CSV table of all heavy atoms in Angstrom, one decimal:
chain,number,residue,atom,x,y,z
J,32,TYR,N,44.7,71.9,-5.0
J,32,TYR,CA,45.4,71.8,-6.4
J,32,TYR,C,45.8,73.1,-6.9
J,32,TYR,O,46.9,73.3,-7.5
J,32,TYR,CB,44.4,71.1,-7.3
J,32,TYR,CG,43.9,69.8,-6.8
J,32,TYR,CD1,42.6,69.4,-7.1
J,32,TYR,CD2,44.7,68.9,-6.0
J,32,TYR,CE1,42.1,68.2,-6.6
J,32,TYR,CE2,44.1,67.8,-5.5
J,32,TYR,CZ,42.8,67.4,-5.8
J,32,TYR,OH,42.3,66.2,-5.3
J,33,GLU,N,44.9,74.1,-6.8
J,33,GLU,CA,45.2,75.5,-7.3
J,33,GLU,C,46.4,76.0,-6.6
J,33,GLU,O,47.3,76.6,-7.3
J,33,GLU,CB,44.0,76.4,-7.1
J,33,GLU,CG,42.9,76.2,-8.0
J,33,GLU,CD,41.7,77.1,-7.7
J,33,GLU,OE1,41.8,78.0,-6.8
J,33,GLU,OE2,40.6,76.9,-8.3
J,34,ALA,N,46.5,75.9,-5.3
J,34,ALA,CA,47.6,76.5,-4.5
J,34,ALA,C,48.9,75.8,-4.9
J,34,ALA,O,49.9,76.4,-5.0
J,34,ALA,CB,47.3,76.3,-3.0
J,35,VAL,N,48.8,74.5,-5.1
J,35,VAL,CA,50.1,73.7,-5.5
J,35,VAL,C,50.6,74.3,-6.8
J,35,VAL,O,51.8,74.7,-7.0
J,35,VAL,CB,49.8,72.2,-5.6
J,35,VAL,CG1,51.1,71.5,-6.2
J,35,VAL,CG2,49.5,71.7,-4.2
J,36,THR,N,49.7,74.4,-7.8
J,36,THR,CA,50.1,74.8,-9.2
J,36,THR,C,50.5,76.3,-9.2
J,36,THR,O,51.5,76.6,-9.8
J,36,THR,CB,49.0,74.6,-10.2
J,36,THR,OG1,48.4,73.3,-10.0
J,36,THR,CG2,49.5,74.7,-11.6
J,37,GLU,N,49.8,77.1,-8.5
J,37,GLU,CA,49.9,78.5,-8.7
J,37,GLU,C,50.8,79.2,-7.6
J,37,GLU,O,51.4,80.2,-7.9
J,37,GLU,CB,48.5,79.2,-8.7
J,37,GLU,CG,47.7,78.7,-9.9
J,37,GLU,CD,46.2,79.0,-9.8
J,37,GLU,OE1,45.9,79.7,-8.8
J,37,GLU,OE2,45.5,78.6,-10.6
J,38,THR,N,51.0,78.6,-6.5
J,38,THR,CA,51.8,79.2,-5.4
J,38,THR,C,53.0,78.3,-5.0
J,38,THR,O,54.1,78.8,-5.1
J,38,THR,CB,50.9,79.5,-4.2
J,38,THR,OG1,50.0,80.5,-4.5
J,38,THR,CG2,51.8,80.1,-3.1
J,39,TYR,N,52.7,77.1,-4.5
J,39,TYR,CA,53.8,76.3,-3.9
J,39,TYR,C,54.9,76.0,-5.0
J,39,TYR,O,56.1,76.1,-4.7
J,39,TYR,CB,53.3,75.1,-3.2
J,39,TYR,CG,52.2,75.4,-2.2
J,39,TYR,CD1,51.1,74.5,-2.1
J,39,TYR,CD2,52.1,76.6,-1.5
J,39,TYR,CE1,50.0,74.8,-1.2
J,39,TYR,CE2,51.1,76.9,-0.7
J,39,TYR,CZ,50.0,76.0,-0.5
J,39,TYR,OH,49.0,76.3,0.3
J,40,ILE,N,54.5,75.5,-6.1
J,40,ILE,CA,55.5,75.1,-7.1
J,40,ILE,C,56.2,76.3,-7.7
J,40,ILE,O,57.4,76.3,-7.7
J,40,ILE,CB,54.8,74.2,-8.3
J,40,ILE,CG1,54.5,72.8,-7.7
J,40,ILE,CG2,55.7,74.2,-9.5
J,40,ILE,CD1,53.8,71.9,-8.7
J,41,PRO,N,55.5,77.4,-8.0
J,41,PRO,CA,56.2,78.6,-8.4
J,41,PRO,C,57.2,79.1,-7.4
J,41,PRO,O,58.3,79.6,-7.7
J,41,PRO,CB,55.1,79.7,-8.6
J,41,PRO,CG,53.9,78.8,-9.1
J,41,PRO,CD,54.0,77.6,-8.2
J,43,VAL,N,58.8,77.2,-5.2
J,43,VAL,CA,60.0,76.3,-5.2
J,43,VAL,C,60.9,76.6,-6.4
J,43,VAL,O,62.1,76.6,-6.4
J,43,VAL,CB,59.4,74.8,-5.3
J,43,VAL,CG1,60.5,73.9,-5.7
J,43,VAL,CG2,58.8,74.4,-4.0
J,44,LYS,N,60.2,77.0,-7.6
J,44,LYS,CA,61.0,77.4,-8.7
J,44,LYS,C,61.9,78.6,-8.5
J,44,LYS,O,63.0,78.7,-8.9
J,44,LYS,CB,60.0,77.7,-9.9
J,44,LYS,CG,59.7,76.4,-10.7
J,44,LYS,CD,58.4,76.5,-11.5
J,44,LYS,CE,58.5,77.5,-12.6
J,44,LYS,NZ,57.2,77.5,-13.4
J,79,TYR,N,46.2,65.1,-7.4
J,79,TYR,CA,46.7,66.3,-8.0
J,79,TYR,C,47.4,66.0,-9.3
J,79,TYR,O,47.2,66.8,-10.3
J,79,TYR,CB,47.8,66.9,-7.0
J,79,TYR,CG,48.5,68.1,-7.7
J,79,TYR,CD1,47.8,69.2,-7.9
J,79,TYR,CD2,49.8,68.0,-8.1
J,79,TYR,CE1,48.4,70.3,-8.6
J,79,TYR,CE2,50.5,69.0,-8.7
J,79,TYR,CZ,49.7,70.2,-9.0
J,79,TYR,OH,50.3,71.3,-9.6
J,80,VAL,N,48.0,64.9,-9.5
J,80,VAL,CA,48.6,64.6,-10.8
J,80,VAL,C,47.5,64.4,-11.8
J,80,VAL,O,47.7,64.9,-13.0
J,80,VAL,CB,49.5,63.3,-10.7
J,80,VAL,CG1,50.1,62.9,-12.0
J,80,VAL,CG2,50.6,63.5,-9.7
J,82,HIS,N,44.7,65.9,-11.8
J,82,HIS,CA,44.2,67.3,-12.0
J,82,HIS,C,45.1,68.0,-13.0
J,82,HIS,O,44.7,68.7,-13.9
J,82,HIS,CB,44.2,68.0,-10.7
J,82,HIS,CG,44.0,69.5,-10.7
J,82,HIS,ND1,42.7,70.0,-10.8
J,82,HIS,CD2,44.8,70.5,-10.8
J,82,HIS,CE1,42.8,71.3,-10.8
J,82,HIS,NE2,44.1,71.7,-10.9
J,83,LEU,N,46.4,67.8,-12.8
J,83,LEU,CA,47.4,68.5,-13.6
J,83,LEU,C,47.3,67.9,-15.0
J,83,LEU,O,47.4,68.7,-16.0
J,83,LEU,CB,48.8,68.2,-13.0
J,83,LEU,CG,49.9,69.2,-13.2
J,83,LEU,CD1,49.4,70.7,-13.1
J,83,LEU,CD2,51.1,69.0,-12.3
J,84,ASP,N,47.1,66.7,-15.2
J,84,ASP,CA,47.0,66.1,-16.5
J,84,ASP,C,45.8,66.6,-17.3
J,84,ASP,O,45.9,66.9,-18.5
J,84,ASP,CB,46.9,64.5,-16.4
J,84,ASP,CG,48.3,63.9,-16.1
J,84,ASP,OD1,49.3,64.6,-16.3
J,84,ASP,OD2,48.3,62.8,-15.6
J,86,LEU,N,44.7,69.6,-16.8
J,86,LEU,CA,45.1,71.0,-17.2
J,86,LEU,C,46.0,71.0,-18.4
J,86,LEU,O,45.9,71.8,-19.3
J,86,LEU,CB,45.8,71.7,-16.0
J,86,LEU,CG,44.9,72.2,-14.9
J,86,LEU,CD1,45.7,72.9,-13.9
J,86,LEU,CD2,43.8,73.2,-15.5
J,87,ILE,N,46.9,70.0,-18.4
J,87,ILE,CA,47.8,69.9,-19.6
J,87,ILE,C,47.0,69.6,-20.9
J,87,ILE,O,47.2,70.3,-21.9
J,87,ILE,CB,48.8,68.8,-19.3
J,87,ILE,CG1,49.8,69.2,-18.2
J,87,ILE,CG2,49.6,68.4,-20.6
J,87,ILE,CD1,50.7,68.2,-17.6
J,109,MET,N,52.1,79.5,-23.0
J,109,MET,CA,52.7,79.8,-21.6
J,109,MET,C,52.1,78.9,-20.6
J,109,MET,O,52.8,78.2,-19.8
J,109,MET,CB,52.5,81.3,-21.3
J,109,MET,CG,53.0,81.6,-19.8
J,109,MET,SD,52.6,83.3,-19.3
J,109,MET,CE,50.8,83.1,-18.8
J,110,TYR,N,50.8,78.8,-20.6
J,110,TYR,CA,50.1,77.9,-19.6
J,110,TYR,C,50.5,76.5,-19.8
J,110,TYR,O,50.8,75.7,-18.8
J,110,TYR,CB,48.6,78.1,-19.6
J,110,TYR,CG,48.2,79.4,-19.0
J,110,TYR,CD1,47.7,80.4,-19.7
J,110,TYR,CD2,48.4,79.6,-17.6
J,110,TYR,CE1,47.3,81.6,-19.1
J,110,TYR,CE2,48.0,80.8,-17.0
J,110,TYR,CZ,47.5,81.8,-17.8
J,110,TYR,OH,47.1,83.0,-17.2
J,111,HIS,N,50.6,76.1,-21.0
J,111,HIS,CA,50.9,74.7,-21.3
J,111,HIS,C,52.3,74.4,-20.8
J,111,HIS,O,52.5,73.4,-20.1
J,111,HIS,CB,50.9,74.4,-22.8
J,111,HIS,CG,51.1,73.0,-23.2
J,111,HIS,ND1,50.2,72.0,-22.8
J,111,HIS,CD2,52.1,72.4,-24.0
J,111,HIS,CE1,50.7,70.8,-23.3
J,111,HIS,NE2,51.8,71.1,-24.0
J,112,ARG,N,53.2,75.3,-21.0
J,112,ARG,CA,54.6,75.1,-20.5
J,112,ARG,C,54.6,75.1,-19.0
J,112,ARG,O,55.3,74.2,-18.4
J,112,ARG,CB,55.4,76.3,-21.0
J,112,ARG,CG,56.9,76.0,-21.2
J,112,ARG,CD,57.6,77.1,-22.0
J,112,ARG,NE,57.3,78.4,-21.5
J,112,ARG,CZ,56.7,79.4,-22.2
J,112,ARG,NH1,56.3,79.1,-23.4
J,112,ARG,NH2,56.4,80.6,-21.7
J,113,LEU,N,53.9,76.0,-18.4
J,113,LEU,CA,53.8,76.1,-16.9
J,113,LEU,C,53.3,74.8,-16.3
J,113,LEU,O,53.8,74.3,-15.3
J,113,LEU,CB,52.9,77.2,-16.4
J,113,LEU,CG,53.6,78.6,-16.5
J,113,LEU,CD1,52.5,79.7,-16.1
J,113,LEU,CD2,54.8,78.7,-15.7
J,114,PHE,N,52.3,74.2,-16.9
J,114,PHE,CA,51.7,73.0,-16.4
J,114,PHE,C,52.6,71.8,-16.6
J,114,PHE,O,52.8,70.9,-15.7
J,114,PHE,CB,50.3,72.7,-17.0
J,114,PHE,CG,49.3,73.7,-16.8
J,114,PHE,CD1,48.3,74.1,-17.7
J,114,PHE,CD2,49.2,74.4,-15.5
J,114,PHE,CE1,47.4,75.0,-17.5
J,114,PHE,CE2,48.3,75.3,-15.3
J,114,PHE,CZ,47.3,75.7,-16.3
J,115,LEU,N,53.3,71.8,-17.7
J,115,LEU,CA,54.3,70.7,-17.9
J,115,LEU,C,55.4,70.8,-16.9
J,115,LEU,O,55.9,69.8,-16.4
J,115,LEU,CB,54.8,70.7,-19.4
J,115,LEU,CG,53.9,70.3,-20.5
J,115,LEU,CD1,54.6,70.5,-21.9
J,115,LEU,CD2,53.5,68.8,-20.3
J,116,GLU,N,55.8,72.0,-16.7
J,116,GLU,CA,56.9,72.2,-15.8
J,116,GLU,C,56.5,71.8,-14.4
J,116,GLU,O,57.3,71.2,-13.6
J,116,GLU,CB,57.2,73.7,-15.8
J,116,GLU,CG,58.7,74.0,-15.9
J,116,GLU,CD,58.9,75.6,-15.9
J,116,GLU,OE1,57.9,76.3,-16.3
J,116,GLU,OE2,59.9,76.0,-15.5
J,117,ALA,N,55.3,72.2,-14.0
J,117,ALA,CA,54.7,71.8,-12.7
J,117,ALA,C,54.7,70.3,-12.5
J,117,ALA,O,55.1,69.8,-11.5
J,117,ALA,CB,53.3,72.3,-12.5
J,118,ARG,N,54.4,69.6,-13.6
J,118,ARG,CA,54.3,68.1,-13.6
J,118,ARG,C,55.7,67.6,-13.4
J,118,ARG,O,56.0,66.6,-12.6
J,118,ARG,CB,53.7,67.6,-14.8
J,118,ARG,CG,53.2,66.1,-14.7
J,118,ARG,CD,52.6,65.6,-15.9
J,118,ARG,NE,51.8,64.4,-15.6
J,118,ARG,CZ,52.2,63.3,-15.3
J,118,ARG,NH1,53.5,63.1,-15.1
J,118,ARG,NH2,51.4,62.3,-15.0
J,119,GLU,N,56.7,68.2,-14.1
J,119,GLU,CA,58.1,67.7,-14.0
J,119,GLU,C,58.6,67.9,-12.6
J,119,GLU,O,59.2,67.0,-12.0
J,119,GLU,CB,58.9,68.5,-15.0
J,119,GLU,CG,60.3,68.0,-15.3
J,119,GLU,CD,61.4,68.5,-14.4
J,119,GLU,OE1,61.3,69.8,-14.1
J,119,GLU,OE2,62.2,67.8,-13.9
J,120,ILE,N,58.3,69.1,-12.0
J,120,ILE,CA,58.8,69.4,-10.6
J,120,ILE,C,58.1,68.4,-9.6
J,120,ILE,O,58.7,67.8,-8.8
J,120,ILE,CB,58.5,70.8,-10.3
J,120,ILE,CG1,59.5,71.7,-11.1
J,120,ILE,CG2,58.7,71.1,-8.8
J,120,ILE,CD1,59.2,73.2,-11.0
J,121,PHE,N,56.8,68.4,-9.7
J,121,PHE,CA,56.0,67.6,-8.7
J,121,PHE,C,56.3,66.1,-8.8
J,121,PHE,O,56.6,65.5,-7.8
J,121,PHE,CB,54.5,67.9,-8.9
J,121,PHE,CG,53.7,67.4,-7.8
J,121,PHE,CD1,53.5,68.1,-6.6
J,121,PHE,CD2,53.0,66.1,-7.9
J,121,PHE,CE1,52.7,67.6,-5.6
J,121,PHE,CE2,52.3,65.6,-6.8
J,121,PHE,CZ,52.1,66.4,-5.7
J,122,CYS,N,56.2,65.6,-10.0
J,122,CYS,CA,56.3,64.1,-10.2
J,122,CYS,C,57.8,63.7,-10.3
J,122,CYS,O,58.2,62.8,-9.5
J,122,CYS,CB,55.6,63.6,-11.4
J,122,CYS,SG,53.9,64.0,-11.4
J,123,ASP,N,58.5,64.3,-11.2
J,123,ASP,CA,59.9,63.7,-11.5
J,123,ASP,C,60.9,64.2,-10.4
J,123,ASP,O,61.7,63.4,-9.9
J,123,ASP,CB,60.3,64.1,-12.9
J,123,ASP,CG,59.3,63.7,-13.9
J,123,ASP,OD1,58.5,62.8,-13.6
J,123,ASP,OD2,59.2,64.3,-15.0
J,124,ARG,N,60.9,65.5,-10.1
J,124,ARG,CA,61.9,65.9,-9.2
J,124,ARG,C,61.7,65.6,-7.8
J,124,ARG,O,62.6,65.2,-7.1
J,124,ARG,CB,62.1,67.4,-9.4
J,124,ARG,CG,63.5,67.9,-8.9
J,124,ARG,CD,63.8,69.4,-9.0
J,124,ARG,NE,63.5,69.9,-10.3
J,124,ARG,CZ,63.5,71.3,-10.5
J,124,ARG,NH1,63.8,72.1,-9.5
J,124,ARG,NH2,63.3,71.8,-11.7
J,125,TYR,N,60.4,65.7,-7.4
J,125,TYR,CA,60.1,65.5,-5.9
J,125,TYR,C,59.3,64.3,-5.7
J,125,TYR,O,58.8,64.1,-4.5
J,125,TYR,CB,59.5,66.7,-5.3
J,125,TYR,CG,60.5,67.8,-5.2
J,125,TYR,CD1,60.5,68.9,-6.1
J,125,TYR,CD2,61.6,67.7,-4.3
J,125,TYR,CE1,61.5,69.9,-6.0
J,125,TYR,CE2,62.6,68.7,-4.3
J,125,TYR,CZ,62.5,69.8,-5.1
J,125,TYR,OH,63.5,70.8,-5.0
J,126,HIS,N,59.0,63.5,-6.7
J,126,HIS,CA,58.2,62.2,-6.5
J,126,HIS,C,57.0,62.4,-5.7
J,126,HIS,O,56.7,61.7,-4.7
J,126,HIS,CB,59.1,61.1,-5.9
J,126,HIS,CG,60.4,61.0,-6.6
J,126,HIS,ND1,60.5,60.5,-7.9
J,126,HIS,CD2,61.7,61.4,-6.3
J,126,HIS,CE1,61.8,60.6,-8.3
J,126,HIS,NE2,62.5,61.1,-7.4
J,127,ASN,N,56.2,63.4,-6.1
J,127,ASN,CA,54.9,63.8,-5.5
J,127,ASN,C,55.0,64.4,-4.0
J,127,ASN,O,54.0,64.7,-3.4
J,127,ASN,CB,54.0,62.6,-5.4
J,127,ASN,CG,53.5,62.2,-6.8
J,127,ASN,OD1,54.1,62.6,-7.8
J,127,ASN,ND2,52.6,61.3,-6.8
J,128,ASP,N,56.2,64.6,-3.5
J,128,ASP,CA,56.4,65.0,-2.2
J,128,ASP,C,56.9,66.5,-2.1
J,128,ASP,O,58.1,66.7,-2.0
J,128,ASP,CB,57.3,64.1,-1.4
J,128,ASP,CG,57.6,64.6,0.0
J,128,ASP,OD1,56.8,65.3,0.6
J,128,ASP,OD2,58.7,64.3,0.6
J,129,LEU,N,56.0,67.4,-2.2
J,129,LEU,CA,56.5,68.8,-2.3
J,129,LEU,C,57.0,69.3,-1.0
J,129,LEU,O,57.8,70.2,-0.9
J,129,LEU,CB,55.3,69.7,-2.8
J,129,LEU,CG,55.7,70.9,-3.6
J,129,LEU,CD1,56.6,70.5,-4.8
J,129,LEU,CD2,54.4,71.6,-4.1
Side-chain angles (χ1 to χ4, degrees):
Chain J
Y32 309 144
E33 283 174 9
V35 171
T36 314
E37 297 167 5
T38 296
Y39 312 142
I40 288 178
V43 166
K44 275 159 64 179
Y79 174 67
V80 178
H82 170 88
L83 209 43
D84 285 339
L86 283 180
I87 291 168
M109 174 185 82
Y110 284 111
H111 186 61
R112 209 171 43 245
L113 284 175
F114 297 145
L115 287 177
E116 231 180 332
R118 200 179 198 291
E119 194 268 321
I120 290 171
F121 191 83
C122 301
D123 305 337
R124 203 181 306 172
Y125 290 106
H126 311 290
N127 293 8
D128 175 27
L129 214 51

